């Protein structure tokens, strides 16, 4: 009874110790994936050759990791990489018959044989091992590199990792005892010669028997003893518990582990020289990786006391993680050699990641089976979302393999132009270079376009060639595409210069994910998915590394370690655009479901901020252009998440979405023309694809799916148009149905929170005039200081009114002084009053207070108080009243009335791109090729006219000032507009 109780206590103690360590399985798995992908991405068989031991060590670690990846994520890509390696080498081993290094590759081969049972994988290894075992060498143990016979035995301690596990595994596969006998005999011979029983450590070879370190200690190489312990783990895996051979190897394993555990430095690493770490103070990860591997294996198998060894393992694993860069590169790997050497963080070698992966697989075994600990995004929610996701990542489109889709796409004129003209020309010219001086141009000149155009051209090159390859399907563009992907991965920054003024992205010191990183990144991710197996595994792994470095890790770090990027909580287009890009790329590229789930959970938490940028009535204060940009991104985000979770998470399941979705229809004044408020470019209309998507999602229509070939720069934001899978239907409730009914007024749209009116003629009448009028405030997103602005449409033109924003932004356009510097942004460039020479102020306090709203079928009256918009102290009150009449051809009047403490100057303005002329003192004529509009002027006194052409990276327009000639304490100016 006492014995059973003691056993129970020991078991409980062991389990408590195991659970005390601080890593979750998902966290360990993600770290292994990063390191594995980086090494695959940077694998170069030309350096050592596929069969060299340097690479073979990595193959073994990768084989262990491949089993974890397949079991947990159904990700067989690492097995496929190893299979491709073996097949192209016909499963051969390296050339030297006896040399232990040259059979090291067989360790990975034998793991693959056990999985796939293909005899071809086994035959070359079996032939080599059988010949050596039946013709054992009698070479000397006194290693001499000039004498090849001294390399035929295992005369250096590294050899105990390279060869013995192969013979041990062959014994289990074949049952032939000659393999275990040979292994045991040779192993013990090396042990007898190189093992120091006083220090319980292995010399590297006989040359170190008498050497001393600077502190007088014996020379015991860290990685050399790591090789021995790594090999012992592989041997113990294969040795049956009751084998007569096991006690020796188990005892040696324990003895070495206890000795090594005591030599760990305070930083968690083991250093190049085990007994003189002060002479080699830098961390060393290859030896440390093997030590963590062995110690963790010993704990997992109950061979080592967990209560004593677990803190060592925990500390060692954390140290290893600290040496992994964001992209997965493992640093502090001592170069190839036979003794302790200096090492830096920049140094790496292929066997280092191999040791890391071996360690990681044992850490994974003991790690907590619980969500990764997050401080911001709920780990419980991440786990819940992970359960909703498919096993495999999935892009938003289809791969080149769907020939039905691509052959159908091929028929369009845009595609024919791409195939016949554009793509061949791009291929001939090659990818535009990344020019540092162009990237840095903004910081020197404050001019944005040169750097942005250079970067956009590089992204477009990839996108266009990818589309051409998928359509043509002849592999003509694959090489150029792969070179482009590598070039983009190596590109210093994915961000545009305007969002990298401190050059942290350019210098690689602290990556920031901006609009372009998100959209271009998602585009790159979709290209990788579309090309599928047309891309080599090395290129795809390189892409994974770049995304972790430049997108995924920076986003995670901002959410969990520092503070969220600003766009997570802004209430403008940045929120939706960045979330859509980052989430889409994650869902497309990341094999790990919990990693994908994390980004969905982040989008779920933060997408609400972007929606706050729309008033509850659905108005987009940024203007139609940014609705096309920001809301297009939001529907992409919604569709990405709906598809990934099979509709279980739907960001549109509320009545506010219904109102936002109807904005595209409601904001149109007439004939597709919209008011160009805020930074909207004049002439823009809501994209039909957005309207169609919203109608499909709301069940208003079920239009025929039609693919629209992406012709603009923002490839990722055109995915839903190009791959027109039916929009995910919203589950309607009473609130949504009511909202749909409320949005059905054909005569007008009035946004009662934004105070924006759209008024139209009744169908079938002779009225051809339509208008919009704006209240609002001067703290709106992309604000223009434009309270009281308006637009008047006649036929298919905006005859007069707001002229919108620039087509490209000057470098300082968003600085605080921009409204004064750029008249297109300040109120002077808008059809609003100038009071005593003062333009409107910026800020929430400057607002239009609605005084009157009277809407009927015949006439709409909208009156606002503009007083708070002007900071001049002499102004008492300023009101602007809009009256829109639908009778006859239609009429629109704008009436400004003011009172002041003292006589002041007062003027209003008409802004227009039409041809204009002064008919007389009270009439203006605006003309286009097809339309004419007369503006009649009534005023409290005589008026004079001024005019000024305004052009800020946009079509030029004229501001016609209508000025009271005399100063006055009270007055008015009334403009009445009608078709001629």
């Amino acid at each position: 009874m006492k014995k059973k109780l003691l056993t129970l206590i020991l078991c409980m103690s062991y389990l408590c110790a195991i659970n005390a360590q601080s890593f979750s399985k998902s966290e360990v798995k993600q770290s292994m994936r990063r390191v594995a992908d980086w090494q695959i991405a940077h694998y170069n068989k030309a350096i050592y050759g596929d069969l060299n031991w340097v690479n073979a060590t990595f193959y073994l670690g990768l084989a262990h990791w491949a089993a974890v990846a397949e079991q947990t994520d159904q990700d067989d890509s690492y097995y496929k990489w190893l299979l491709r390696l073996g097949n192209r080498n016909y499963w051969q081993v390296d050339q030297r018959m006896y040399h232990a290094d040259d059979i090291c590759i067989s360790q990975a081969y034998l793991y693959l044989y056990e999985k796939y049972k293909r005899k071809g994988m086994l035959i070359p290894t079996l032939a080599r091992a059988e010949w050596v075992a039946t013709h054992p060498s009698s070479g000397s143990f006194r290693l001499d590199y000039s004498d090849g016979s001294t390399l035929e035995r295992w005369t250096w301690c590294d050899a105990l990792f390279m060869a013995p596990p192969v013979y041990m595994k062959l014994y289990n596969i074949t049952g032939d005892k000659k393999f275990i006998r040979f292994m045991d005999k040779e192993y013990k011979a090396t042990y007898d010669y190189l093992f120091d029983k006083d220090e319980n450590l292995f010399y590297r070879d006989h040359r170190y028997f008498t050497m001393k370190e600077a502190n007088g200690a014996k020379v015991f190489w860290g990685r050399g003893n790591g090789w021995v312990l790594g090999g012992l783990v592989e041997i113990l895996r294969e040795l049956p518990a009751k084998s007569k051979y096991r006690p020796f190897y188990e005892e040696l394993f324990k003895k070495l582990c206890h000795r090594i555990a005591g030599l760990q430095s305070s930083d968690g690493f083991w250093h190049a020289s085990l007994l003189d770490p002060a002479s080699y103070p830098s961390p060393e990860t290859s030896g440390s990786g093997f030590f963590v591997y062995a110690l963790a294996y010993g704990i997992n198998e109950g061979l080592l006391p967990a209560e004593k060894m677990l803190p060592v393992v925990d500390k060692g694993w954390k140290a290893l993680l600290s040496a992994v860069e964001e992209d997965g590169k493992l640093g502090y790997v001592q170069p190839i050699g036979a003794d302790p050497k200096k090492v830096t963080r920049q140094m790496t070698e292929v066997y280092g990641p191999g040791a890391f992966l071996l360690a990681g697989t044992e850490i994974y075994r003991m790690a907590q089976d619980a969500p990764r600990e997050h401080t911001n995004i709920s780990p419980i929610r991440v786990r819940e979302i992970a359960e909703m996701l498919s096993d495999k990542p999935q892009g938003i489109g289809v791969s080149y393999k769907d020939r039905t889709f691509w052959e159908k796409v091929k028929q369009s004129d845009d595609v024919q132009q791409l195939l016949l003209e554009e793509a061949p020309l791009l291929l001939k010219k090659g990818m535009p270079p990344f020019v540092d001086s162009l990237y840095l141009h903004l910081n020197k000149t404050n001019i944005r376009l040169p750097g942005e155009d250079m970067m956009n051209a590089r992204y477009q090159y990839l996108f266009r060639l990818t589309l051409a390859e998928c359509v043509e399907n002849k592999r003509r563009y694959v090489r150029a595409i792969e070179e482009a992907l590598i070039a983009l991965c190596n590109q210093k920054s994915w961000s545009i210069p305007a969002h990298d003024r401190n050059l942290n992205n350019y210098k690689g010191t602290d990556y920031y994910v901006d609009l372009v990183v998100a959209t271009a990144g998602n585009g790159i991710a979709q290209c990788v998915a579309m090309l599928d197996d047309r891309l080599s595994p090395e290129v795809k792994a390189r892409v994974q590394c770049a995304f972790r470095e430049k997108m995924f890790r920076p986003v995670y770090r901002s959410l969990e370690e520092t503070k969220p990027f600003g766009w997570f909580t802004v209430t403008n287009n940045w929120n939706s655009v960045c979330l859509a890009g980052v989430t889409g790329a994650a869902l497309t590229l990341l094999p790990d479901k919990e990693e994908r789930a994390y980004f969905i959970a982040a989008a779920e938490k933060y997408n609400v901020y972007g929606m706050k940028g729309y008033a509850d009535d659905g108005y987009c204060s940024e203007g139609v252009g940014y609705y096309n940009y920001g809301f297009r991104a939001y529907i992409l985000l919604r569709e990405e998440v709906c598809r990934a979770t099979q509709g279980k998470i739907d960001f549109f399941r509320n009545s506010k979405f219904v109102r936002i979705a109807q904005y595209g229809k409601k904001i149109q004044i007439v004939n597709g023309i919209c008011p160009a408020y805020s930074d909207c470019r004049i002439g823009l209309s809501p994209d039909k694809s957005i309207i169609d998507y919203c109608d499909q999602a709301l069940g208003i229509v079920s239009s025929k799916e039609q693919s629209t070939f992406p012709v603009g720069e923002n490839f990722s934001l055109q995915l839903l148009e190009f791959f027109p899978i039916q929009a995910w239907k919203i589950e309607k409730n009473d609130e949504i149905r009511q909202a749909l009914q409320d949005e059905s007024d054909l005569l007008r749209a009035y946004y009662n929170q934004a105070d924006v009116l759209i008024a139209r003629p009744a169908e079938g009448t002779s009225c051809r005039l339509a208008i919009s009028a704006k209240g609002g405030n001067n703290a709106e997103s992309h604000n223009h200081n434009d309270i009281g602005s308006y637009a008047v449409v006649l036929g298919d033109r905006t005859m007069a009114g707001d002229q919108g924003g620039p087509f490209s932004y000057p470098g300082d356009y968003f600085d605080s002084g921009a409204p004064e510097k750029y008249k297109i942004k300040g109120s002077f460039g808008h059809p609003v009053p100038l009071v005593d020479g003062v333009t409107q102020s910026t800020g929430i306090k400057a607002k239009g207070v609605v005084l009157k709203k009277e809407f009927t079928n015949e006439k709409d009256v909208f009156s606002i108080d503009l007083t708070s918009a002007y900071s001049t102290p002499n102004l008492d009150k300023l009101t602007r009243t809009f009256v829109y009449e639908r009778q006859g051809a239609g009429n629109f009047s704008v009436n400004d009335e003011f009172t002041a403490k003292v006589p002041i100057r007062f003027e209003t303005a008409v802004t227009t791109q039409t041809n204009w002329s002064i008919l007389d003192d009270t009439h203006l004529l605006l003309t286009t090729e097809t339309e004419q509009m007369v503006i009649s002027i009534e005023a409290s006194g005589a008026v004079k006219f001024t005019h000024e052409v305004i052009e800020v990276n946009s079509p030029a327009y004229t501001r016609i000032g209508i000025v009271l000639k005399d100063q006055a304490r009270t007055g008015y100016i009334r403009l009445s507009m009608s078709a001629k």
Side-chain angles (χ1 to χ4, degrees):
M1 182 68 183
K2 288 183 179 179
K3 186 175 180 180
K4 288 183 178 180
L5 181 59
L6 178 60
T7 301
L8 179 61
I9 292 172
L10 288 173
C11 287
M12 291 180 65
S13 174
Y14 168 72
L15 290 173
C16 288
I18 290 293
N19 291 327
Q21 56 78 41
S22 56
F23 302 105
S24 70
K25 286 188 178 298
S26 62
E27 186 177 27
V28 176
K29 188 172 59 170
Q30 290 169 23
S31 298
M32 284 193 286
R33 191 182 295 280
R34 287 167 58 204
V35 171
D37 285 349
W38 189 92
Q39 192 55 67
I40 289 174
H42 293 83
Y43 178 80
N44 187 346
K45 66 179 180 179
I47 297 177
Y48 303 113
D50 280 342
L51 308 183
N52 190 275
W53 68 268
V54 177
N55 291 326
T57 306
F58 171 63
Y59 307 153
L60 177 62
L62 192 66
H64 282 263
W65 158 241
V68 175
E70 184 179 64
Q71 180 182 2
T72 59
D73 296 324
Q74 288 70 54
D75 179 7
D76 62 355
S77 63
Y78 301 98
Y79 273 130
K80 286 180 177 177
W81 191 84
L82 289 168
L83 286 171
R84 190 178 68 142
L85 167 85
N87 285 328
R88 74 170 175 242
N89 290 287
Y90 303 99
W91 305 94
Q92 292 294 326
V93 295
D94 220 341
Q95 298 178 10
R96 294 169 292 186
M97 188 63 69
Y98 285 105
H99 203 297
D101 290 356
D102 288 9
I103 202 171
C104 183
I105 190 172
S106 296
Q107 295 190 55
Y109 287 171
L110 296 179
Y111 273 107
L112 292 171
Y113 172 78
E114 287 181 323
K115 176 176 175 60
Y116 295 105
K117 303 299 183 187
R118 298 175 190 168
K119 287 185 178 180
M121 299 174 173
L122 180 63
I123 291 172
T125 295
L126 188 59
R128 170 68 60 85
E130 280 187 324
W131 194 93
V132 172
T134 55
H135 301 83
S137 173
S138 57
S140 170
F141 269 88
R142 295 186 62 81
L143 186 146
D144 181 353
Y145 283 103
S146 65
D147 181 358
S149 68
T150 67
L151 295 169
E152 293 179 351
R153 308 288 296 277
W154 300 338
T155 51
W156 66 105
C157 70
D158 325 15
L160 298 182
F161 173 85
M162 308 297 171
V166 176
Y167 289 92
M168 189 64 244
K169 208 166 186 67
L170 281 173
Y171 163 68
N172 279 337
I173 290 172
T174 66
D176 192 335
K177 292 183 179 180
K178 70 170 173 285
F179 294 117
I180 193 170
R181 289 170 183 160
F182 175 78
M183 185 278 295
D184 185 62
K185 175 178 173 294
E186 291 297 310
Y187 196 107
K188 288 175 179 174
T190 302
Y191 165 82
D192 290 338
Y193 193 68
L194 296 181
F195 189 67
D196 186 314
K197 294 181 174 59
D198 294 327
E199 295 289 353
N200 284 335
L201 294 169
F202 277 85
Y203 292 102
R204 199 277 174 174
D205 57 66
H206 83 280
R207 297 172 298 169
Y208 296 88
F209 289 167
T210 58
M211 288 186 186
K212 301 292 183 184
E213 294 286 12
N215 64 356
K218 297 176 182 178
V219 178
F220 291 109
W221 181 32
R223 185 167 72 234
N225 282 271
W227 290 123
V228 176
L229 268 175
L232 279 169
V233 172
E234 295 302 316
I235 291 170
L236 290 172
R237 286 187 191 280
E238 302 298 324
L239 271 171
K242 295 183 180 180
S243 170
K244 67 178 182 178
Y245 297 99
R246 186 173 180 89
F248 168 81
Y249 296 98
E250 191 172 301
E251 183 61 29
L252 177 59
F253 174 78
K254 292 177 182 178
K255 190 181 295 184
L256 263 176
C257 284
H258 281 280
R259 181 67 169 119
I260 289 300
L263 295 174
Q264 185 181 38
S265 296
S266 58
D267 59 6
F269 289 100
W270 287 264
H271 295 259
S273 178
L274 291 175
L275 301 187
D276 186 16
S279 293
Y280 305 89
S282 297
E284 204 291 301
T285 52
S286 58
S288 297
F290 281 118
F291 293 145
V292 172
Y293 174 46
L295 294 171
Y297 172 82
I299 296 170
N300 286 331
E301 295 297 316
L303 300 174
L304 299 174
E307 65 278 6
K308 178 180 179 181
M309 295 298 183
L310 192 58
V312 179
V313 169
D314 193 77
K315 193 174 180 180
W317 180 244
K318 287 177 179 175
L320 288 172
L321 290 177
S322 72
V324 179
E325 304 293 352
E326 294 290 356
D327 62 353
K329 177 183 177 181
L330 178 69
Y332 291 119
V333 181
Q334 185 184 331
I336 297 170
D339 55 1
K341 286 184 174 67
K342 304 290 185 182
V343 61
T344 67
R345 187 177 183 93
Q346 289 70 41
M347 291 179 177
T348 192
E349 279 290 356
V350 192
Y351 45 76
F356 182 95
L357 294 175
L358 289 170
T361 53
E362 287 301 319
I363 295 292
Y364 181 80
R365 286 178 65 195
M366 65 169 58
Q368 301 172 39
D369 187 15
R372 184 176 184 178
E373 287 301 320
H374 309 304
T375 58
N376 186 348
I377 304 302
S378 165
I380 296 174
R381 184 57 177 158
V382 170
R383 179 62 66 90
E384 291 172 347
I385 294 173
E387 293 298 318
M388 305 175 191
L389 303 182
S390 62
D391 291 332
K392 300 281 188 180
Q394 185 176 357
I396 203 70
V398 298
S399 82
Y400 77 92
K401 296 177 181 178
D402 187 342
R403 298 318 305 164
T404 301
F405 171 79
W406 290 105
E407 289 299 324
K408 185 177 180 181
V409 166
K410 194 173 183 178
Q411 308 308 314
S412 77
D413 292 339
D414 288 330
V415 173
Q416 287 301 309
Q417 181 179 348
L418 172 75
L419 293 179
L420 297 177
E421 300 178 22
E422 185 180 356
L425 184 61
L426 286 173
L427 189 63
K428 183 178 180 180
K429 288 183 175 180
M431 187 177 195
F434 182 92
V435 182
D436 293 78
S437 60
L438 290 178
Y439 192 91
L440 300 172
H441 189 72
L442 173 74
N443 277 8
K444 295 178 180 179
T445 65
N446 226 10
I447 299 174
R448 294 175 54 141
L449 282 181
E452 292 182 19
D453 288 346
M454 178 264 293
M455 297 190 71
N456 285 333
R458 287 169 63 81
Y459 295 131
Q460 280 297 102
Y461 176 85
L462 171 68
F463 301 155
R464 308 312 280 178
L465 290 194
T466 297
L467 293 171
E469 175 61 30
C470 289
V471 173
E472 190 178 81
N473 195 32
K474 294 181 180 178
R475 299 182 180 269
R476 176 157 58 137
Y477 299 101
V478 172
R479 182 176 178 181
I481 289 168
E482 291 196 328
E483 290 172 351
L485 283 168
I486 295 299
L488 289 173
C489 290
N490 292 335
Q491 186 171 291
K492 292 178 179 179
S493 172
W494 289 358
S495 168
I496 58 173
H499 303 152
D500 187 29
R501 290 179 181 268
N502 57 15
L503 298 180
N504 284 342
N505 282 38
Y506 176 77
K507 295 174 182 176
T509 55
D510 185 17
Y511 286 107
Y512 172 69
V513 176
D514 73 339
L515 295 165
V516 180
V517 176
T519 53
N522 196 14
I524 295 169
Q526 302 308 323
C527 287
V528 172
M530 288 157 58
L531 292 164
D532 196 19
D533 57 7
R534 281 280 160 89
L535 299 176
S536 73
E538 290 79 10
V539 169
K540 290 199 281 188
R542 185 70 185 88
V543 169
Q544 292 280 359
C545 295
F547 270 87
R548 289 191 180 98
E549 179 185 34
K550 293 180 170 70
M551 181 185 284
F552 300 145
R553 297 286 293 172
V555 167
Y556 179 84
R557 191 171 58 250
S558 83
L559 290 173
E560 303 297 339
E561 298 173 10
T562 54
K563 65 177 182 179
F565 290 139
W567 50 261
F568 276 106
T569 54
V570 296
T571 57
N572 60 33
N573 63 86
W574 274 70
N575 177 270
S576 299
V577 174
C578 291
L579 283 177
V582 171
T583 307
L587 291 173
T588 302
L589 292 179
L590 294 175
D592 189 315
K593 285 202 291 188
E594 285 198 23
E595 274 198 283
R596 278 180 270 147
Y598 179 88
F599 287 98
I600 293 178
E604 183 180 54
K605 178 175 181 176
Y606 287 104
N607 82 88
V608 296
Y609 290 93
M611 288 300 95
K612 289 179 182 178
Y614 300 88
D616 287 342
D617 57 17
Y619 182 73
C620 176
S621 67
E622 295 181 284
V624 172
Y626 278 101
Y627 177 81
N628 287 344
Y629 182 54
F631 193 62
R632 181 198 297 272
Y634 194 68
I635 65 176
L636 174 62
L637 174 66
R638 182 256 180 174
E639 192 69 19
E640 290 167 343
V641 173
C642 276
R643 292 187 193 181
T645 64
Q646 293 297 298
K648 295 181 178 68
I649 299 176
D650 185 354
F651 299 155
F652 286 179
R653 206 172 286 146
N654 59 73
S655 59
K656 182 174 179 177
F657 160 70
V658 175
R659 296 185 175 92
I660 300 171
Q662 297 302 293
Y663 173 88
K665 295 178 180 178
K666 290 172 59 177
I667 199 64
Q668 296 183 50
I669 302 173
V670 69
N671 297 329
I673 301 172
C674 303
Y677 300 141
S678 300
D679 273 335
C680 177
R681 298 176 183 178
I682 189 75
L684 280 181
S685 298
D687 282 351
K688 183 177 183 298
S689 62
I690 297 176
I691 296 172
D692 289 347
Y693 177 90
C694 292
D695 283 350
Q696 289 174 16
L698 289 165
I700 296 174
V701 296
S702 182
S703 60
K704 183 180 179 181
E705 292 181 358
Q706 184 174 355
S707 178
T708 303
F709 194 74
V711 293
E713 291 182 351
N714 246 317
F715 172 58
S716 70
L717 294 185
Q718 300 177 61
L719 291 169
L720 295 183
E721 303 163 53
F722 186 43
F723 300 109
I725 299 173
Q726 195 72 27
W728 205 275
K729 294 292 189 297
I730 295 171
E731 294 180 13
K732 294 181 184 176
N733 54 30
D734 291 342
E735 187 181 14
I736 289 175
R737 293 187 186 93
Q738 182 62 49
L740 278 171
Q741 185 176 340
D742 293 343
E743 301 295 302
S744 58
D745 190 344
L746 296 178
L747 280 185
R748 76 186 59 78
Y750 180 69
Y751 293 96
N752 56 13
Q753 290 179 311
D755 294 324
V756 171
L757 171 67
I758 307 291
R760 312 178 186 93
E763 289 186 4
T765 66
S766 59
C767 179
R768 297 192 303 113
L769 202 70
I771 64 98
S772 173
K774 181 183 183 299
N777 65 74
N778 283 339
E780 295 172 340
S781 187
H782 285 269
N783 179 65
H784 266 212
N785 288 359
D786 59 354
I787 302 169
S789 189
Y790 61 84
V792 184
V793 176
L794 186 60
D796 60 357
R797 286 287 299 274
T798 298
M799 299 295 291
D802 206 299
Q803 299 299 306
F807 284 29
S808 64
Y809 295 127
D812 56 353
Y813 184 76
F814 294 103
D815 292 353
S816 59
E820 289 73 40
K821 183 175 182 179
Y822 299 109
K823 293 177 179 178
I824 198 173
K825 191 171 188 179
S827 68
F828 184 83
H830 290 76
V832 298
L834 186 68
V835 181
D836 214 16
V838 176
T839 56
Q840 290 186 12
S841 305
T842 301
I844 189 67
K845 292 182 179 179
K847 59 183 178 181
V849 179
V850 177
L851 302 175
K852 185 178 183 181
K853 290 183 308 200
E854 288 184 359
F855 301 150
T856 66
N857 290 345
E858 294 78 26
K859 181 169 67 175
D860 293 339
V861 179
F862 180 37
S863 181
I864 53 177
D865 184 343
L866 301 181
T867 310
S868 65
Y870 296 88
S871 60
T872 174
N874 293 323
L875 179 66
D876 278 335
K877 190 168 185 179
L878 171 61
T879 62
R880 168 165 278 198
T881 301
F882 302 101
V883 179
Y884 170 64
E885 298 178 89
R886 295 182 174 86
Q887 291 87 354
N891 182 268
F892 177 58
S893 65
V894 182
N895 182 23
D896 293 326
E897 299 180 60
F898 68 91
T899 60
K901 295 180 177 64
V902 297
I904 61 172
R905 293 166 290 159
F906 187 82
E907 70 174 273
T908 190
V910 171
T911 51
T912 182
Q913 287 187 40
T914 64
N915 298 315
W916 64 279
S917 60
I918 301 173
L919 298 179
D920 54 41
D921 289 348
T922 59
H923 292 87
L924 297 171
L925 177 65
L926 309 184
T927 64
T928 68
E929 295 83 359
T930 57
E931 302 289 352
Q932 292 186 327
M933 188 174 80
V934 174
I935 302 178
S936 302
I937 304 163
E938 297 179 43
S940 54
V943 300
K944 62 180 179 179
F945 300 105
T946 64
H947 62 89
E948 179 177 340
V949 175
I950 297 174
E951 183 177 5
V952 182
N953 295 352
S954 61
Y957 65 93
T958 303
R959 179 190 186 273
I960 306 169
I962 303 165
V963 187
L964 287 175
K965 290 183 176 180
D966 298 320
Q967 297 184 24
R969 292 183 60 184
T970 62
Y972 68 88
I973 298 178
R974 181 179 299 114
L975 308 179
S976 180
M977 309 176 200
S978 58
K980 184 176 179 181

